[in-house]
Every structure is written in structure tokens, then in C-alpha cells.
């Protein structure tokens, strides 16, 4: 299924076209990555050692296993160049953190900033103080204050050690569930239903815990935020902006766009490429969800979070427009937008990359740049199709979870033959 963030990255923000083709961020940072992994590994081992001292018996053992696995996975991401070091974004984040620290001594001093090549507007913090900021935040948010609001929220999670508390709850629940499972095994009737109830109750408890933590991080984060020199109402405006990310309908990729970019000199456009698969007779009732989706969300409804903040902090009740971006933020916003395609390509989301390129081209943005990404992504799609592993890089049509525009795109892509894909790839690679 397509990652929902794609649609929303393409909704706004005009980019000023220049005479030169944009050059992607240089990731020749082997020495920095090597040094970071070395320091992170040492700190994680120290953390694990302290956890064994602090938590005895089974709890300490299980916590050690969890943090070893977390560390292993994170180091793998760093080695995979999922983050950029010493990038143009670093100075901005460090500046915002210093502004937040001025009147907030509770903010840890050992935070290390990493910028992730991820287009989703998100941030998170590890136990050792590694603070990850997704590039998508610069693209989606409107100004410095809003970025500082997200950082403040994540600092709220860090200060209250929500991640550690979640792991402890998970370990304790595991032990309780094992006793319940033993009871189920000894039962003679309704074992399947009782087993499902164990799973359902665990998921609901986890959902409730996450919602409580988000509310706490909002409150503590705002307390940090308002002690600094940022505009208070930008905290609420940030939540509204993130709510847009979840709720705004995707724009449509027009049929004329397909015909414009795939009617080539050596390959005429074929209407059969746009033929849609018929799902009208498909019976979805066989797959009614047994679980309440609202109870599965890791984040509560943002509208409820806004209401909660306004209740706790009356000064937030006034509705104010977003502040205009500073010149320095506007520059970073444009860079983050231009890095959308390199990020998709890095994560091997080649199908999504083609869809994004077409959206940018439809909007008249940096034509030569996005045509070159069409060529690169189609070349990867050709290799995958030739090697019978296209499913890894191109979604299948899923009418229940995809917009009509994206379904149309997927039908188009799957209708292309191997030679047709090759012709498109070669044409746009020559164009660039």
C-alpha cells in the first residue's frame, strides 16, 4: 500500500525555478557515520549495563534484549545512509534547541542531532539522547516556531522517558499474558475466542497508553515551548498543520499528464495503458475488521489534543494565523522539497517516486530535474520487472486504502509491458 505521506507532500509550497538543475545533498560522510556509530555503540552498551543494575531479574534481562535490538537496528540504518551528517539542516535545529534551552534547564545537554532522509513530518529521540528530525518536517511545517513545537513535543517524551515506560509495560504484560495463555491451553472450550480476547485487550491497552503519552508530551512540550521566545499559538498551529497531513484529500494526477509525458517520439501513447481493474463485484464484507481501528491508533485524534491543550492553557484559545517563514527557513523548506525524490529513491520507493515526479511535473516545477528522476525510477522498475520482483517496488491496487488517482497510476504501471517500460526509462535517461 502506498505510504500516505506521498499525497500530502504534493499539496502546497511553490518552488522558485532557477536556471540550474538542483544538486542533491552530498552523502559522502563515511568518517562522520563511522564516528557516530562508534560513539552510539559505546553509549548503548553503557545504557544496557546500567539497566541491568537498575532492574534485576527477568525485567533487566528483557530490557537488555530490547535495547540491544534497538541499537542493532539503528546502527544498520546509519550504515545504510538513512541519515545525513553535517547537513544544511543541522544549524537550524541546533539553534532552535538552544532557544528552547534558555529557560528550560531540564532539557538534556547530551542531545545529538540527526537528519533523516524521510519525507514524513516526524521526529523522535533515543534513550542515549540521539534526536532524529525527518527532512519532511521542513517541507510540511511553515516556520521556525512550528519546527520548535515538534521538537518540544518530542522533548516531552524524552524528559518523561515514555519509551522506557512502554518497554517496561510490555515486559510486565508479557508475563501476565503467559499465565493467561497457560489457562487457555488447559481450557476445553472457546480457546480461539479467548486467545483473540488476549490479543485484543493487549492492543487496546497499548492504544490507551500511547494516547495518554501523547497528551502528556503535548502538555510538557508546550510548557517548554512557552518558556522560550516562540509565538505561543504556533504550538496549536503546528498540530493543525499535522492534522492536515492526516486528513487533506490527495490531488488528482490528470489523464492529460500521462499523455504528455508518456507519448514519446519512439512510442505512441496507448489508451489501454489506462484500463482499470474491475473491483465492483468484490465482496469486502468477508473482511470486516474485528478490531476497532480508533483503538489501534498510536496517536490520538489531533482535534482532541488541541482541545486538551486549550483547556489546560487558556492563552491558546485565540485563533491566530501562521507566522511567515524566515528567509533561512524558506531556504531549508525548498531544499527539503527538492530532496523528496532523492529520499524516495534512497528508500527504494521507485513506484512512489514516479508518481511524485509526475505530480511535480504537472505543477510545472523544475521540469528537467523531475524528468531525470522519471528516468532513474523507471530504470529501477525495468530491472525489477525483468527480475520478477516488481512487487517489492510497486504497490498493487488496493481500492479500500488508496485514492482513485493513485489506483489509476498503479493500473497504468502494471499495464505497461517490459519493453514499454524500457523505452520510457531510456528516453528520460537521455533527456537528463
Amino acid at each position: 500500500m502506498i505510504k500516505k505521506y506521498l499525497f500530502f507532500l504534493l499539496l502546497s509550497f511553490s518552488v522558485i525555478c532557477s536556471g540550474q538543475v538542483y544538486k542533491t545533498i552530498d552523502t559522502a560522510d563515511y568518517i562522520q557515520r563511522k564516528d557516530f556509530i562508534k560513539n552510539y555503540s559505546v553509549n548503548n552498551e553503557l545504557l544496557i549495563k546500567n539497566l541491568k543494575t537498575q532492574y534485576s531479574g527477568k525485567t533487566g534481562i528483557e530490557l537488555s534484549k530490547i535495547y540491544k535490538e534497538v541499537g542493532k537496528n539503528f546502527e544498520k540504518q546509519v550504515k545504510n545512509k538513512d541519515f545525513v551528517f553535517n547537513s544544511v539542516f543541522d544549524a537550524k535545529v541546533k539553534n532552535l534547541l538552544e532557544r528552547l534551552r534558555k529557560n528550560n534547564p531540564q532539557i538534556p545537554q547530551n542531545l545529538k542531532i540527526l537528519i533523516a532522509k524521510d519525507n514524513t513530518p516526524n521526529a523522535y529521540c533515543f534513550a542515549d539522547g540521539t534526536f532524529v528530525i525527518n527532512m519532511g518536517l521542513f517541507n510540511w511545517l511553515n516556520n521556525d516556531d512550528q519546527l520548535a513545537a515538534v521538537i518540544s513535543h518530542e522533548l516531552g517524551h524524552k524528559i518523561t522517558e515514555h519509551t522506557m515506560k512502554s518497554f517496561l509495560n510490555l515486559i510486565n504484560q508479557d508475563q501476565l499474558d503467559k499465565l493467561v495463555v497457560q489457562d487457555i491451553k488447559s481450557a476445553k472450550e472457546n480457546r480461539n475466542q479467548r486467545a483473540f480476547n488476549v490479543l485484543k485487550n493487549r492492543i487496546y491497552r497499548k492504544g490507551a497508553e500511547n494516547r495518554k503519552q501523547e497528551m502528556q508530551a503535548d502538555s510538557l512540550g508546550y510548557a517548554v515551548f512557552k518558556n522560550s521566545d516562540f509565538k505561543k499559538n504556533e504550538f496549536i498551529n503546528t498540530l493543525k498543520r499535522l492534522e492536515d497531513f492526516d486528513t487533506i484529500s490527495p490531488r488528482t494526477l490528470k489523464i492529460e499528464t500521462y499523455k504528455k509525458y508518456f507519448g514519446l517520439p519512439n512510442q505512441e501513447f496507448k489508451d489501454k495503458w489506462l484500463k482499470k481493474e474491475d473491483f465492483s463485484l468484490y465482496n469486502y464484507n468477508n473482511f470486516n475488521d474485528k478490531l476497532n481501528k480508533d483503538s489501534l491508533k498510536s496517536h490520538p485524534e489531533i482535534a482532541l489534543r488541541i482541545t486538551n491543550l486549550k483547556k489546560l492553557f487558556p492563552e491558546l484559545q485565540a485563533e491566530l494565523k501562521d507566522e511567515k517563514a524566515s528567509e533561512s527557513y524558506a531556504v531549508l523548506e525548498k531544499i527539503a522539497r527538492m530532496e523528496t525524490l532523492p529520499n524516495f529513491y534512497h528508500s527504494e520507493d521507485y513506484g512512489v517516486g514516479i508518481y511524485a515526479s509526475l505530480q511535480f511535473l504537472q505543477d510545472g516545477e523544475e521540469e528537467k530535474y523531475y524528468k531525470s528522476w522519471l528516468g532513474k525510477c523507471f530504470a529501477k522498475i525495468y530491472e525489477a520487472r525483468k527480475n520478477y520482483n516488481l512487487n517489492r517496488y510497486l504497490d498493487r491496487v488496493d481500492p479500500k486504502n488508496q485514492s482513485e488517482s493513485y489506483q489509476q497510476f498503479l493500473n497504468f504501471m502494471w499495464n505497461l509491458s517490459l519493453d514499454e517500460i524500457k523505452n520510457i526509462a531510456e528516453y528520460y535517461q537521455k533527456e537528463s
Side-chain angles (χ1 to χ4, degrees), residues 228-243:
S228 307
D229 59 350
F230 299 103
K231 299 287 191 303
K232 293 182 178 63
N233 273 80
E234 284 299 328
F235 201 93
I236 293 292
N237 290 343
T238 304
L239 289 175
K240 290 178 180 178
R241 188 68 186 131
L242 295 175
E243 186 177 31

Side-chain angles (χ1 to χ4, degrees), residues 381-388 390 414 416-418 421:
I381 291 293
Y382 170 71
E383 289 177 16
R385 182 72 172 266
K386 188 171 63 174
N387 295 324
Y388 301 100
L390 186 54
W414 285 104
L416 293 170
S417 69
L418 182 64
I421 293 172

Side-chain angles (χ1 to χ4, degrees), residues 36 74 78 83-85 112-116 130-134:
F36 176 86
F74 185 54
V78 176
F83 307 94
V84 291
F85 290 82
K112 295 173 286 295
I113 308 302
L114 274 187
I115 306 298
T130 300
F131 208 112
V132 177
I133 305 289
N134 284 0

